[in-house]
Amino acid sequence: MAAIEAGPTVVSGKTFLISDSNPTTRLGICESAIKAARYAGKDIPTILGGDEMPRGKIYDGSWSDATLNWKPRYESFDKFMASQN
């Protein structure tokens, strides 16, 4: 919606990287997911490397946020999953 609202003069020919800007691990994703009612009580799978695994790709979406005058509804995936009850 933000791209549509910004209009074609702002978005034409550009690629936008959208994120909540809170890096996490695969284990962190699972730990966040079980905070939601849908996944509560589910077992977290064994993740090779555990929480010592690197966070993977970390990127900066601030240019996209500023260009589109956008901010995420939830400040993190963890906050989003915790709200799903």
Side-chain angles (χ1 to χ4, degrees):
M1 292 299 297
I4 292 169
E5 290 174 2
T9 58
V10 173
V11 302
S12 289
K14 296 182 178 92
T15 301
F16 296 92
L17 180 64
I18 303 299
S19 77
D20 65 16
S21 299
N22 285 285
T24 189
T25 61
R26 288 175 280 178
L27 180 59
I29 291 168
C30 294
E31 290 170 341
S32 294
I34 62 173
K35 293 179 180 179
R38 179 177 185 165
Y39 302 107
K42 302 286 184 187
D43 292 332
I44 293 178
T46 301
I47 297 178
L48 298 177
D51 202 27
E52 306 214 357
M53 292 290 292
R55 294 185 180 217
K57 296 178 182 177
I58 298 174
Y59 49 87
D60 179 0
S62 61
W63 176 84
S64 297
D65 298 352
T67 302
L68 297 173
N69 192 30
W70 179 87
K71 66 178 185 171
R73 183 176 295 161
Y74 298 92
E75 67 183 66
S76 67
F77 180 69
D78 187 68
K79 298 272 187 197
F80 167 70
M81 292 307 286
S83 76
Q84 302 302 299
N85 295 313

